[in-house]
Amino acid sequence: MIEVLVVDDDIRVARVNAAYVEKVPGFHVAGEAHSAAEALRQVELLPRLDLILLDHYLPDETGLEVVQEMRRRGHQADVIMVTAARDVTTVQAAMRQGALQYLVKPFNFAGLRGKLEAYAELRRRLDSGGEAEQADVDRIFGALSAPSEPGLPKGHSPTTAELVRQSLMNAEGPLSAQEIAERTGVSRQTAQRYLKLLERTGRARLTLKYGDAGRPEHRYVWATRS
């Protein structure tokens, strides 16, 4: 079993994430923490810890500061950032400090499951030991990437596609391109481009909202929503 520590300042979110982890075969929640100090205390006390699902916005320190202190103390547990922090600076800092994955809130069970399954595949490849040829190295690094939208056209980013997809999937109703832009931090034009792609591939449905005058507003809903 892969032992996991779930860290989130919101107790309810931590419990939801922990429940998600327990639903993925091969994973077990070893503990929960709701602050940086508590997370570091759990790292010291848990008899075995393989993976930390780590929020960035904690009440006393940031998630990245937790990672820095862990490494300073010699703890080598792997880290997947699970956070609402979308700014490129934080994402880049997480990569540089060794976070294996970065999952942007809000997300659903499928989003987290994909990251966990990719992590489990990475561990399987690394546990095989021995020497690695280039093809083996490519497969190891490829295991870090959870499946994303297949067949993205040239010029489309898998990360942006995933942000738009997750926002649409987690919405309570249809959203406009402007609303998607506000939720994901991309421009309205970019949001519109990815929404049209989701519509063309059958993953989203276009609805029209008519006002008192002028052209109707284009709104999109995830295709599996009833």
Side-chain angles (χ1 to χ4, degrees):
M1 299 292 285
I2 295 173
E3 299 293 331
V4 183
L5 173 63
V6 177
V7 182
D8 198 290
D9 68 318
D10 189 318
I11 295 176
R12 293 170 299 176
V13 172
R15 288 175 179 170
V16 169
N17 290 348
Y20 281 170
V21 171
E22 292 283 0
K23 290 172 65 176
V24 181
F27 288 83
H28 174 254
V29 176
E32 293 182 26
H34 312 294
S35 69
E38 189 178 356
L40 290 168
R41 188 160 53 248
Q42 291 266 30
V43 169
E44 296 284 356
L45 294 176
L46 288 172
R48 180 182 153 205
L49 180 59
D50 302 305
L51 176 66
I52 303 175
L53 297 186
L54 182 59
D55 189 13
H56 182 61
Y57 296 124
L58 299 172
D60 44 355
E61 302 283 352
T62 67
L64 293 182
E65 288 170 325
V66 171
V67 177
Q68 291 172 353
E69 181 60 20
M70 279 175 46
R71 301 305 185 223
R72 190 188 68 80
R73 297 183 186 183
H75 297 289
Q76 300 302 319
D78 294 318
V79 174
I80 295 178
M81 299 297 295
V82 180
T83 176
R86 294 189 176 93
D87 60 284
V88 175
T89 300
T90 301
V91 175
Q92 187 180 54
M95 292 173 59
R96 288 175 174 170
Q97 293 178 31
L100 293 180
Q101 293 273 13
Y102 199 104
L103 184 58
V104 178
K105 296 178 181 179
F107 57 86
N108 59 9
F109 171 61
L112 180 57
R113 181 182 61 195
K115 300 296 185 187
L116 294 179
E117 289 175 346
Y119 174 73
E121 176 63 20
L122 172 66
R123 285 180 63 94
R124 283 192 291 271
R125 294 189 184 279
L126 293 177
D127 288 346
S128 62
E131 295 185 349
E133 301 294 338
Q134 183 62 54
D136 300 316
V137 174
D138 291 342
R139 282 191 292 270
I140 288 171
F141 278 89
L144 288 171
S145 301
S148 58
E149 293 294 327
L152 284 176
K154 184 177 180 180
H156 285 68
S157 161
T159 301
T160 303
E162 182 66 10
L163 282 175
V164 173
R165 186 179 73 88
Q166 290 287 349
S167 294
L168 210 57
M169 287 180 65
N170 289 294
E172 296 181 356
L175 295 176
S176 67
Q178 181 59 41
E179 289 169 324
I180 289 287
E182 292 170 355
R183 294 185 180 208
T184 60
V186 303
S187 69
R188 182 189 178 283
Q189 291 77 11
T190 297
Q192 185 69 55
R193 186 157 56 97
Y194 282 84
L195 286 167
K196 287 182 177 179
L197 173 63
L198 289 172
E199 182 196 2
R200 288 198 303 270
T201 55
R203 293 174 176 82
R205 289 187 289 107
L206 172 64
T207 64
L208 299 178
K209 180 181 179 181
Y210 290 90
D212 295 333
R215 299 173 60 185
E217 181 183 38
H218 288 202
R219 299 175 69 82
Y220 297 83
V221 65
W222 191 245
T224 58
R225 189 181 301 280
S226 59

